[in-house]
Coordinates of all heavy atoms in Angstrom, one line a residue:
M71 N 135.2 -60.7 -87.1 CA 134.3 -60.4 -86.0 C 134.9 -59.5 -85.1 O 134.4 -58.4 -84.8 CB 133.8 -61.6 -85.4 CG 132.6 -61.5 -84.6 SD 131.7 -63.0 -84.6 CE 131.6 -63.3 -82.9
G72 N 136.1 -59.8 -84.6 CA 136.8 -59.0 -83.6 C 137.7 -57.9 -84.2 O 138.4 -57.2 -83.5
N73 N 137.7 -57.9 -85.5 CA 138.6 -57.0 -86.2 C 137.9 -55.8 -86.8 O 138.2 -55.3 -87.9 CB 139.4 -57.7 -87.3 CG 140.2 -58.7 -86.8 OD1 140.8 -58.6 -85.7 ND2 140.5 -59.8 -87.5
D74 N 136.9 -55.2 -86.1 CA 136.2 -54.0 -86.7 C 137.0 -52.9 -86.9 O 136.8 -52.1 -87.8 CB 135.0 -53.7 -85.7 CG 133.8 -54.7 -85.8 OD1 133.8 -55.4 -86.8 OD2 133.1 -54.8 -84.8
A75 N 138.1 -52.7 -86.1 CA 139.0 -51.5 -86.2 C 139.8 -51.6 -87.5 O 140.2 -50.5 -88.1 CB 139.9 -51.5 -85.1
S76 N 139.9 -52.8 -88.1 CA 140.7 -52.9 -89.4 C 139.9 -52.7 -90.6 O 140.4 -52.6 -91.7 CB 141.4 -54.2 -89.4 OG 140.5 -55.3 -89.6
K77 N 138.6 -52.7 -90.5 CA 137.7 -52.4 -91.6 C 137.8 -50.9 -92.0 O 138.0 -50.1 -91.1 CB 136.2 -52.8 -91.3 CG 136.1 -54.3 -91.1 CD 134.7 -54.6 -90.7 CE 134.6 -56.1 -90.5 NZ 133.2 -56.5 -90.1
P78 N 137.4 -50.6 -93.2 CA 137.5 -49.2 -93.7 C 136.5 -48.3 -92.8 O 135.4 -48.8 -92.5 CB 137.0 -49.3 -95.1 CG 137.3 -50.7 -95.6 CD 137.2 -51.5 -94.3
S79 N 136.9 -47.1 -92.5 CA 136.1 -46.3 -91.7 C 134.8 -45.8 -92.4 O 134.7 -45.9 -93.6 CB 136.8 -45.0 -91.3 OG 137.2 -44.3 -92.4
N80 N 133.9 -45.4 -91.7 CA 132.6 -45.0 -92.1 C 132.8 -43.6 -92.8 O 133.3 -42.7 -92.2 CB 131.6 -44.8 -90.9 CG 130.2 -44.5 -91.3 OD1 130.0 -44.0 -92.5 ND2 129.3 -44.7 -90.5
R81 N 132.3 -43.5 -94.0 CA 132.5 -42.2 -94.8 C 131.8 -41.1 -94.1 O 132.2 -39.9 -94.2 CB 132.0 -42.4 -96.2 CG 132.9 -43.2 -97.0 CD 132.5 -43.3 -98.5 NE 133.4 -44.0 -99.2 CZ 134.1 -43.6 -100.3 NH1 133.9 -42.3 -100.7 NH2 134.9 -44.3 -100.9
M82 N 130.6 -41.3 -93.5 CA 129.8 -40.3 -92.8 C 130.6 -39.7 -91.7 O 130.6 -38.5 -91.4 CB 128.5 -40.8 -92.4 CG 127.6 -39.7 -91.8 SD 126.0 -40.3 -91.3 CE 125.1 -40.1 -92.8
A83 N 131.3 -40.6 -90.9 CA 132.1 -40.1 -89.8 C 133.3 -39.2 -90.3 O 133.5 -38.2 -89.6 CB 132.6 -41.3 -89.0
V84 N 133.9 -39.6 -91.3 CA 135.0 -38.8 -91.9 C 134.5 -37.4 -92.3 O 135.1 -36.4 -92.1 CB 135.8 -39.6 -93.0 CG1 136.7 -38.7 -93.7 CG2 136.4 -40.8 -92.5
T85 N 133.4 -37.4 -93.0 CA 132.8 -36.3 -93.5 C 132.4 -35.4 -92.3 O 132.6 -34.1 -92.3 CB 131.6 -36.5 -94.3 OG1 132.0 -37.3 -95.4 CG2 130.9 -35.3 -94.9
A86 N 131.8 -35.9 -91.2 CA 131.4 -35.1 -90.1 C 132.6 -34.5 -89.4 O 132.6 -33.4 -89.0 CB 130.6 -36.0 -89.1
L87 N 133.7 -35.3 -89.3 CA 134.9 -34.7 -88.7 C 135.5 -33.6 -89.5 O 136.0 -32.6 -89.0 CB 135.9 -35.9 -88.5 CG 137.2 -35.5 -87.8 CD1 137.0 -35.0 -86.4 CD2 138.2 -36.6 -87.7
A88 N 135.5 -33.8 -90.8 CA 136.1 -32.8 -91.7 C 135.2 -31.5 -91.6 O 135.8 -30.4 -91.7 CB 136.1 -33.3 -93.1
H89 N 133.9 -31.7 -91.4 CA 133.0 -30.5 -91.3 C 133.2 -29.7 -90.0 O 133.2 -28.6 -89.9 CB 131.6 -30.9 -91.4 CG 130.6 -29.8 -91.3 ND1 130.5 -28.9 -92.4 CD2 129.7 -29.4 -90.4 CE1 129.6 -28.0 -92.0 NE2 129.1 -28.4 -90.8
M90 N 133.6 -30.5 -88.9 CA 133.8 -29.9 -87.6 C 135.1 -29.1 -87.5 O 135.2 -28.1 -86.9 CB 133.9 -31.0 -86.5 CG 132.5 -31.5 -86.1 SD 132.6 -32.8 -84.8 CE 134.1 -32.6 -84.0
M91 N 136.2 -29.6 -88.2 CA 137.5 -29.0 -88.1 C 137.5 -27.8 -88.8 O 137.0 -27.6 -90.0 CB 138.5 -30.0 -88.5 CG 138.7 -31.2 -87.7 SD 140.0 -32.3 -88.0 CE 141.4 -31.3 -87.5
K92 N 138.2 -26.8 -88.3 CA 138.3 -25.4 -88.9 C 139.7 -25.1 -89.4 O 140.0 -24.0 -89.8 CB 137.9 -24.4 -87.9 CG 136.5 -24.6 -87.3 CD 135.5 -24.5 -88.5 CE 134.0 -24.7 -87.9 NZ 133.1 -25.2 -88.9
I93 N 140.7 -26.0 -89.2 CA 142.0 -25.8 -89.8 C 142.0 -25.5 -91.3 O 141.4 -26.2 -92.0 CB 143.0 -26.9 -89.3 CG1 144.5 -26.5 -89.5 CG2 142.7 -28.2 -90.0 CD1 145.4 -27.5 -88.9
T94 N 142.8 -24.5 -91.7 CA 142.9 -24.3 -93.1 C 144.0 -25.0 -93.7 O 144.9 -25.5 -93.1 CB 143.1 -22.8 -93.4 OG1 144.4 -22.4 -92.9 CG2 141.9 -22.0 -92.7
K95 N 144.1 -25.1 -95.0 CA 145.1 -25.8 -95.8 C 146.5 -25.0 -95.5 O 147.5 -25.7 -95.3 CB 144.9 -25.8 -97.3 CG 145.9 -26.5 -98.0 CD 145.5 -26.5 -99.5 CE 146.5 -27.3 -100.3 NZ 146.2 -27.4 -101.8
A96 N 146.5 -23.7 -95.5 CA 147.6 -22.9 -95.2 C 148.2 -23.3 -93.9 O 149.5 -23.4 -93.6 CB 147.4 -21.4 -95.4
Q97 N 147.3 -23.4 -92.8 CA 147.8 -23.7 -91.4 C 148.3 -25.1 -91.4 O 149.4 -25.3 -90.7 CB 146.6 -23.6 -90.5 CG 146.2 -22.3 -90.1 CD 144.9 -22.3 -89.1 OE1 144.0 -22.8 -89.5 NE2 145.1 -21.7 -88.0
L98 N 147.7 -26.0 -92.1 CA 148.2 -27.4 -92.1 C 149.5 -27.5 -92.8 O 150.4 -28.2 -92.3 CB 147.2 -28.3 -92.8 CG 147.2 -29.8 -92.5 CD1 147.1 -30.0 -91.0 CD2 146.1 -30.5 -93.2
I99 N 149.8 -26.8 -93.9 CA 151.1 -26.8 -94.5 C 152.1 -26.2 -93.6 O 153.2 -26.6 -93.5 CB 151.0 -26.1 -95.9 CG1 150.1 -27.0 -96.8 CG2 152.4 -25.8 -96.5 CD1 149.8 -26.4 -98.2
A100 N 151.7 -25.0 -93.0 CA 152.7 -24.4 -92.0 C 153.1 -25.2 -90.9 O 154.3 -25.3 -90.5 CB 152.1 -23.0 -91.6
L101 N 152.1 -26.0 -90.4 CA 152.3 -27.0 -89.3 C 153.2 -28.1 -89.8 O 154.2 -28.5 -89.1 CB 151.1 -27.5 -88.8 CG 151.2 -28.6 -87.6 CD1 151.8 -28.0 -86.4 CD2 149.8 -29.1 -87.3
R102 N 153.0 -28.6 -91.0 CA 153.9 -29.6 -91.5 C 155.4 -29.1 -91.7 O 156.3 -29.8 -91.2 CB 153.4 -30.1 -92.9 CG 154.3 -31.1 -93.5 CD 154.1 -31.1 -95.0 NE 154.6 -29.8 -95.6 CZ 154.3 -29.6 -96.9 NH1 153.6 -30.4 -97.7 NH2 154.7 -28.3 -97.4
D103 N 155.5 -27.9 -92.2 CA 156.9 -27.3 -92.4 C 157.6 -27.1 -91.0 O 158.8 -27.4 -90.9 CB 156.8 -26.0 -93.2 CG 156.3 -26.3 -94.7 OD1 156.3 -27.4 -95.1 OD2 155.9 -25.3 -95.3
R104 N 156.8 -26.6 -90.0 CA 157.3 -26.4 -88.7 C 157.8 -27.7 -88.1 O 158.9 -27.8 -87.5 CB 156.3 -25.8 -87.9 CG 156.7 -25.5 -86.4 CD 158.0 -24.6 -86.3 NE 158.5 -24.5 -85.0 CZ 158.0 -23.7 -84.1 NH1 157.2 -22.7 -84.4 NH2 158.6 -23.7 -82.9
C105 N 157.0 -28.8 -88.2 CA 157.3 -30.1 -87.7 C 158.6 -30.7 -88.4 O 159.4 -31.3 -87.7 CB 156.1 -31.0 -87.8 SG 154.8 -30.6 -86.7
L106 N 158.7 -30.5 -89.6 CA 159.8 -31.0 -90.4 C 161.1 -30.3 -89.9 O 162.1 -30.8 -89.7 CB 159.7 -30.8 -91.9 CG 158.7 -31.7 -92.5 CD1 158.5 -31.4 -94.0 CD2 159.2 -33.2 -92.4
S107 N 161.0 -28.9 -89.6 CA 162.2 -28.2 -89.2 C 162.5 -28.5 -87.8 O 163.7 -28.4 -87.4 CB 161.9 -26.7 -89.4 OG 160.9 -26.2 -88.5
D108 N 161.6 -28.9 -86.9 CA 161.8 -29.2 -85.6 C 162.2 -30.6 -85.3 O 162.7 -31.0 -84.2 CB 160.6 -29.0 -84.7 CG 160.3 -27.5 -84.5 OD1 161.2 -26.7 -84.9 OD2 159.2 -27.1 -84.0
S109 N 162.1 -31.5 -86.3 CA 162.4 -32.9 -86.2 C 163.9 -33.2 -86.1 O 164.6 -32.3 -86.7 CB 161.7 -33.8 -87.2 OG 162.2 -33.4 -88.5
E110 N 164.3 -34.2 -85.4 CA 165.7 -34.5 -85.3 C 166.0 -35.8 -86.1 O 165.2 -36.6 -86.3 CB 166.0 -34.7 -83.8 CG 165.7 -33.6 -82.9 CD 165.6 -34.0 -81.4 OE1 165.8 -35.2 -81.1 OE2 165.5 -33.1 -80.6
K111 N 167.3 -35.8 -86.5 CA 167.8 -37.0 -87.2 C 167.8 -38.2 -86.2 O 168.1 -38.1 -85.1 CB 169.2 -36.8 -87.7 CG 169.3 -35.9 -88.9 CD 169.1 -36.5 -90.2 CE 169.4 -35.6 -91.3 NZ 169.1 -36.1 -92.6
D112 N 167.3 -39.4 -86.7 CA 167.2 -40.6 -86.0 C 167.4 -41.8 -86.9 O 166.5 -42.1 -87.6 CB 165.9 -40.7 -85.2 CG 165.8 -41.9 -84.3 OD1 166.8 -42.6 -84.2 OD2 164.7 -42.1 -83.8
E113 N 168.5 -42.4 -86.9 CA 168.8 -43.5 -87.8 C 167.9 -44.8 -87.5 O 167.8 -45.7 -88.3 CB 170.2 -43.9 -87.9 CG 170.7 -44.5 -86.5 CD 171.8 -43.6 -85.8 OE1 171.9 -42.4 -86.2 OE2 172.3 -44.0 -84.9
H114 N 167.3 -44.8 -86.3 CA 166.5 -46.0 -85.9 C 165.0 -45.8 -86.3 O 164.3 -46.8 -86.4 CB 166.6 -46.2 -84.4 CG 168.0 -46.4 -83.9 ND1 168.7 -47.5 -84.3 CD2 168.7 -45.6 -83.1 CE1 169.9 -47.4 -83.6 NE2 169.9 -46.3 -83.0
S115 N 164.6 -44.7 -86.7 CA 163.3 -44.4 -87.2 C 163.1 -44.8 -88.7 O 164.1 -44.6 -89.4 CB 162.9 -42.9 -87.0 OG 161.7 -42.6 -87.6
P116 N 162.0 -45.4 -89.1 CA 161.8 -45.7 -90.5 C 162.0 -44.5 -91.5 O 162.5 -44.6 -92.5 CB 160.4 -46.3 -90.6 CG 160.0 -46.6 -89.2 CD 160.9 -45.8 -88.3
S117 N 161.5 -43.3 -91.0 CA 161.6 -42.1 -91.8 C 163.0 -41.4 -91.7 O 163.3 -40.6 -92.6 CB 160.5 -41.1 -91.5 OG 160.8 -40.6 -90.1
G118 N 163.8 -41.8 -90.7 CA 165.0 -41.1 -90.5 C 165.0 -39.9 -89.6 O 166.0 -39.3 -89.4
Y119 N 163.8 -39.5 -89.2 CA 163.6 -38.4 -88.3 C 162.7 -38.7 -87.2 O 162.0 -39.7 -87.2 CB 162.9 -37.2 -89.1 CG 163.8 -36.7 -90.2 CD1 163.7 -37.2 -91.5 CD2 164.7 -35.7 -90.0 CE1 164.5 -36.7 -92.5 CE2 165.6 -35.3 -91.0 CZ 165.4 -35.7 -92.2 OH 166.2 -35.2 -93.2
R120 N 162.8 -37.9 -86.1 CA 162.0 -38.1 -84.9 C 161.5 -36.7 -84.4 O 162.2 -35.7 -84.4 CB 162.8 -38.7 -83.8 CG 162.0 -39.1 -82.6 CD 162.8 -39.9 -81.6 NE 163.9 -39.0 -81.0 CZ 163.8 -38.5 -79.9 NH1 162.8 -38.7 -79.1 NH2 164.8 -37.7 -79.4
L121 N 160.2 -36.7 -84.1 CA 159.5 -35.5 -83.6 C 158.9 -35.8 -82.2 O 158.1 -36.8 -82.2 CB 158.5 -34.9 -84.5 CG 157.8 -33.7 -84.1 CD1 158.7 -32.5 -84.1 CD2 156.6 -33.4 -85.0
T122 N 159.3 -35.2 -81.1 CA 158.7 -35.5 -79.8 C 157.3 -34.8 -79.8 O 157.0 -33.9 -80.5 CB 159.5 -34.9 -78.7 OG1 159.6 -33.5 -78.8 CG2 160.9 -35.5 -78.7
K123 N 156.5 -35.4 -78.9 CA 155.2 -34.8 -78.7 C 155.2 -33.4 -78.2 O 154.4 -32.6 -78.6 CB 154.4 -35.7 -77.7 CG 153.0 -35.2 -77.5 CD 152.2 -36.1 -76.5 CE 150.8 -35.6 -76.3 NZ 150.0 -36.4 -75.3
A124 N 156.2 -33.0 -77.3 CA 156.3 -31.8 -76.7 C 156.6 -30.8 -77.9 O 156.0 -29.7 -77.9 CB 157.4 -31.7 -75.7
K125 N 157.5 -31.2 -78.9 CA 157.7 -30.2 -80.0 C 156.6 -30.1 -80.9 O 156.3 -29.0 -81.5 CB 159.0 -30.7 -80.7 CG 160.3 -30.5 -80.0 CD 161.4 -30.9 -80.9 CE 162.7 -30.6 -80.1 NZ 163.9 -30.9 -81.0
F126 N 155.8 -31.1 -80.9 CA 154.6 -31.1 -81.8 C 153.6 -30.2 -81.2 O 153.0 -29.3 -81.9 CB 154.1 -32.6 -82.0 CG 152.8 -32.5 -82.9 CD1 152.9 -32.3 -84.2 CD2 151.5 -32.8 -82.3 CE1 151.7 -32.3 -85.0 CE2 150.5 -32.8 -83.1 CZ 150.5 -32.6 -84.5
L127 N 153.4 -30.2 -80.0 CA 152.4 -29.3 -79.2 C 152.8 -27.9 -79.3 O 152.0 -27.0 -79.5 CB 152.2 -29.8 -77.8 CG 151.6 -31.2 -77.7 CD1 151.5 -31.6 -76.2 CD2 150.3 -31.3 -78.3
V128 N 154.1 -27.7 -79.1 CA 154.6 -26.3 -79.3 C 154.4 -25.8 -80.7 O 154.0 -24.6 -81.0 CB 156.1 -26.2 -78.9 CG1 156.7 -24.8 -79.3 CG2 156.3 -26.4 -77.4
A129 N 154.7 -26.7 -81.7 CA 154.5 -26.3 -83.1 C 153.0 -25.9 -83.4 O 152.7 -24.9 -84.1 CB 155.0 -27.4 -84.1
M130 N 152.2 -26.7 -82.9 CA 150.7 -26.4 -83.1 C 150.4 -25.1 -82.4 O 149.6 -24.2 -83.1 CB 149.8 -27.5 -82.4 CG 149.7 -28.7 -83.3 SD 148.2 -29.7 -83.0 CE 148.4 -30.2 -81.3
T131 N 150.9 -24.8 -81.3 CA 150.5 -23.5 -80.6 C 151.1 -22.3 -81.4 O 150.5 -21.3 -81.6 CB 151.1 -23.5 -79.1 OG1 150.6 -24.6 -78.4 CG2 150.8 -22.2 -78.4
D132 N 152.4 -22.5 -81.9 CA 153.1 -21.5 -82.6 C 152.4 -21.2 -84.0 O 152.4 -20.1 -84.5 CB 154.5 -21.8 -82.9 CG 155.4 -21.7 -81.6 OD1 154.8 -21.2 -80.6 OD2 156.5 -22.2 -81.5
M133 N 151.8 -22.2 -84.5 CA 151.1 -22.1 -85.8 C 149.6 -21.8 -85.8 O 148.8 -21.8 -86.6 CB 151.3 -23.4 -86.7 CG 152.6 -23.8 -87.1 SD 153.4 -22.5 -88.2 CE 154.5 -21.7 -87.1
N134 N 149.2 -21.4 -84.5 CA 147.9 -21.0 -84.1 C 146.8 -22.1 -84.4 O 145.7 -21.7 -84.8 CB 147.5 -19.7 -84.8 CG 148.3 -18.5 -84.4 OD1 148.6 -18.4 -83.2 ND2 148.7 -17.7 -85.3
V135 N 147.2 -23.2 -84.2 CA 146.3 -24.4 -84.2 C 145.9 -24.8 -82.8 O 146.3 -25.8 -82.3 CB 146.9 -25.7 -85.0 CG1 145.9 -26.8 -85.1 CG2 147.4 -25.2 -86.4
T136 N 145.2 -23.9 -82.2 CA 144.8 -24.0 -80.8 C 143.3 -24.1 -80.6 O 142.8 -24.3 -79.4 CB 145.3 -22.9 -80.0 OG1 144.9 -21.7 -80.5 CG2 146.9 -22.8 -79.9
I137 N 142.5 -24.0 -81.6 CA 141.0 -24.1 -81.5 C 140.6 -25.5 -81.4 O 141.0 -26.4 -82.1 CB 140.5 -23.4 -82.7 CG1 140.9 -21.9 -82.7 CG2 138.9 -23.5 -82.6 CD1 140.5 -21.1 -84.0
E138 N 139.7 -25.8 -80.5 CA 139.1 -27.2 -80.5 C 138.1 -27.2 -81.6 O 137.5 -26.3 -81.9 CB 138.3 -27.3 -79.1 CG 139.1 -27.2 -77.9 CD 140.1 -28.5 -77.7 OE1 139.7 -29.5 -78.2 OE2 141.1 -28.3 -77.0
P139 N 137.9 -28.4 -82.2 CA 138.5 -29.7 -81.9 C 139.8 -29.9 -82.7 O 140.4 -31.0 -82.5 CB 137.4 -30.7 -82.4 CG 136.9 -30.0 -83.6 CD 136.9 -28.5 -83.3
D140 N 140.3 -29.0 -83.5 CA 141.4 -29.2 -84.3 C 142.6 -29.6 -83.4 O 143.3 -30.6 -83.8 CB 141.8 -27.9 -85.0 CG 140.8 -27.5 -86.0 OD1 139.8 -28.2 -86.2 OD2 140.9 -26.4 -86.6
Y141 N 142.9 -28.9 -82.3 CA 144.1 -29.2 -81.5 C 143.9 -30.6 -81.0 O 144.9 -31.4 -81.0 CB 144.1 -28.2 -80.3 CG 145.3 -28.3 -79.5 CD1 146.5 -27.7 -79.7 CD2 145.2 -29.2 -78.3 CE1 147.6 -27.8 -78.9 CE2 146.3 -29.2 -77.5 CZ 147.4 -28.5 -77.8 OH 148.6 -28.6 -76.9
K142 N 142.8 -31.0 -80.4 CA 142.6 -32.4 -79.8 C 142.8 -33.5 -80.9 O 143.3 -34.5 -80.7 CB 141.3 -32.5 -79.1 CG 141.4 -31.9 -77.8 CD 142.4 -32.8 -76.9 CE 142.3 -32.5 -75.4 NZ 143.3 -33.1 -74.7
V143 N 142.2 -33.3 -82.1 CA 142.2 -34.2 -83.1 C 143.6 -34.5 -83.6 O 144.1 -35.6 -83.7 CB 141.3 -33.9 -84.3 CG1 141.5 -34.7 -85.5 CG2 139.8 -33.9 -83.9
L144 N 144.3 -33.4 -83.9 CA 145.7 -33.6 -84.3 C 146.6 -34.2 -83.2 O 147.5 -35.0 -83.5 CB 146.3 -32.2 -84.7 CG 145.6 -31.6 -86.0 CD1 146.1 -30.2 -86.4 CD2 145.9 -32.6 -87.3
E145 N 146.4 -33.8 -82.0 CA 147.1 -34.3 -80.8 C 146.9 -35.8 -80.7 O 147.8 -36.6 -80.5 CB 146.8 -33.7 -79.5 CG 147.5 -34.3 -78.2 CD 147.0 -33.6 -77.0 OE1 146.0 -33.0 -77.0 OE2 147.8 -33.8 -76.0
N146 N 145.6 -36.3 -80.8 CA 145.2 -37.7 -80.8 C 145.8 -38.5 -82.0 O 146.2 -39.7 -81.7 CB 143.8 -37.9 -80.7 CG 143.2 -37.4 -79.3 OD1 144.0 -37.4 -78.3 ND2 142.0 -37.1 -79.2
L147 N 145.9 -37.8 -83.2 CA 146.5 -38.6 -84.3 C 148.0 -38.7 -84.1 O 148.5 -39.8 -84.3 CB 146.2 -37.7 -85.6 CG 144.8 -37.8 -86.1 CD1 144.7 -36.8 -87.3 CD2 144.4 -39.2 -86.6
F148 N 148.6 -37.7 -83.4 CA 150.1 -37.9 -83.2 C 150.3 -39.0 -82.2 O 151.2 -39.8 -82.4 CB 150.6 -36.5 -82.6 CG 152.1 -36.6 -82.3 CD1 153.0 -36.3 -83.3 CD2 152.5 -37.1 -81.1 CE1 154.3 -36.3 -83.2 CE2 153.9 -37.1 -80.8 CZ 154.8 -36.7 -81.9
V149 N 149.5 -39.1 -81.2 CA 149.6 -40.1 -80.2 C 149.4 -41.5 -80.8 O 150.1 -42.4 -80.6 CB 148.7 -39.9 -79.0 CG1 148.7 -41.1 -78.1 CG2 149.1 -38.6 -78.2
M150 N 148.4 -41.6 -81.7 CA 148.0 -42.8 -82.3 C 149.2 -43.3 -83.2 O 149.5 -44.5 -83.2 CB 146.8 -42.7 -83.1 CG 146.3 -43.9 -83.8 SD 144.7 -43.8 -84.7 CE 145.2 -42.7 -86.1
W151 N 149.9 -42.4 -83.9 CA 150.9 -42.8 -84.8 C 152.3 -42.8 -84.2 O 153.3 -43.1 -84.9 CB 150.9 -41.8 -86.0 CG 149.7 -42.1 -87.0 CD1 149.0 -43.3 -87.1 CD2 148.9 -41.2 -87.7 NE1 148.0 -43.2 -88.0 CE2 147.9 -41.8 -88.4 CE3 149.1 -39.8 -87.9 CZ2 147.0 -41.2 -89.2 CZ3 148.2 -39.2 -88.7 CH2 147.1 -39.8 -89.3
D152 N 152.4 -42.4 -83.0 CA 153.7 -42.3 -82.3 C 154.2 -43.7 -82.0 O 153.6 -44.5 -81.4 CB 153.6 -41.5 -80.9 CG 154.9 -41.3 -80.2 OD1 155.9 -41.4 -81.0 OD2 154.9 -41.1 -79.0
R153 N 155.4 -44.0 -82.6 CA 156.0 -45.4 -82.3 C 156.8 -45.5 -81.2 O 157.2 -46.6 -80.8 CB 156.8 -45.7 -83.6 CG 156.0 -45.8 -84.9 CD 156.9 -46.1 -86.0 NE 156.2 -46.1 -87.2 CZ 156.1 -47.1 -88.0 NH1 156.8 -48.2 -87.8 NH2 155.3 -47.0 -89.1
T154 N 157.3 -44.3 -80.6 CA 158.2 -44.4 -79.5 C 157.5 -44.3 -78.1 O 158.1 -44.5 -77.1 CB 159.2 -43.2 -79.5 OG1 158.4 -41.9 -79.4 CG2 160.0 -43.2 -80.7
G155 N 156.2 -44.2 -78.2 CA 155.3 -44.3 -76.9 C 155.2 -43.0 -76.1 O 155.0 -42.9 -75.1

């Protein structure tokens, strides 16, 4: 009852978001590669690496991912998955 957030998401919402976003596969791969090169070693992190929000935002700007809603969606996903707060 109170765990609606843990239920699988609505497929229509995912499709609508995918339709709104204009980021290309090439841009997403370039952003991933840039984030990997900008990340720092961190033995306390489960992945062994750490990427700050500031570096992520710079990487998005450098990879030309500045168009709304792509920028905001990716920024919010980063915040949602950020373990360091």
Side-chain angles (χ1 to χ4, degrees):
M71 197 152 125
N73 295 328
D74 287 338
S76 65
K77 293 181 181 175
S79 63
N80 184 344
R81 286 182 180 243
M82 184 179 271
V84 172
T85 302
L87 183 62
H89 181 69
M90 281 179 25
M91 294 187 70
K92 302 299 181 205
I93 191 168
T94 65
K95 183 178 180 179
Q97 282 177 305
L98 200 54
I99 290 171
L101 178 61
R102 178 204 60 193
D103 293 344
R104 175 66 186 269
C105 289
L106 288 173
S107 68
D108 286 351
S109 61
E110 302 167 353
K111 291 272 189 188
D112 182 9
E113 65 248 10
H114 302 295
S115 172
S117 67
Y119 294 94
R120 184 174 70 100
L121 180 68
T122 64
K123 183 178 177 184
K125 286 186 178 183
F126 180 68
L127 297 178
V128 169
M130 280 203 300
T131 303
D132 290 349
M133 298 295 107
N134 295 320
V135 183
T136 55
I137 300 171
E138 297 288 338
D140 297 353
Y141 185 88
K142 277 297 193 190
V143 168
L144 293 174
E145 179 185 18
N146 288 337
L147 285 172
F148 182 89
V149 170
M150 183 175 71
W151 290 325
D152 185 19
R153 293 174 187 241
T154 61

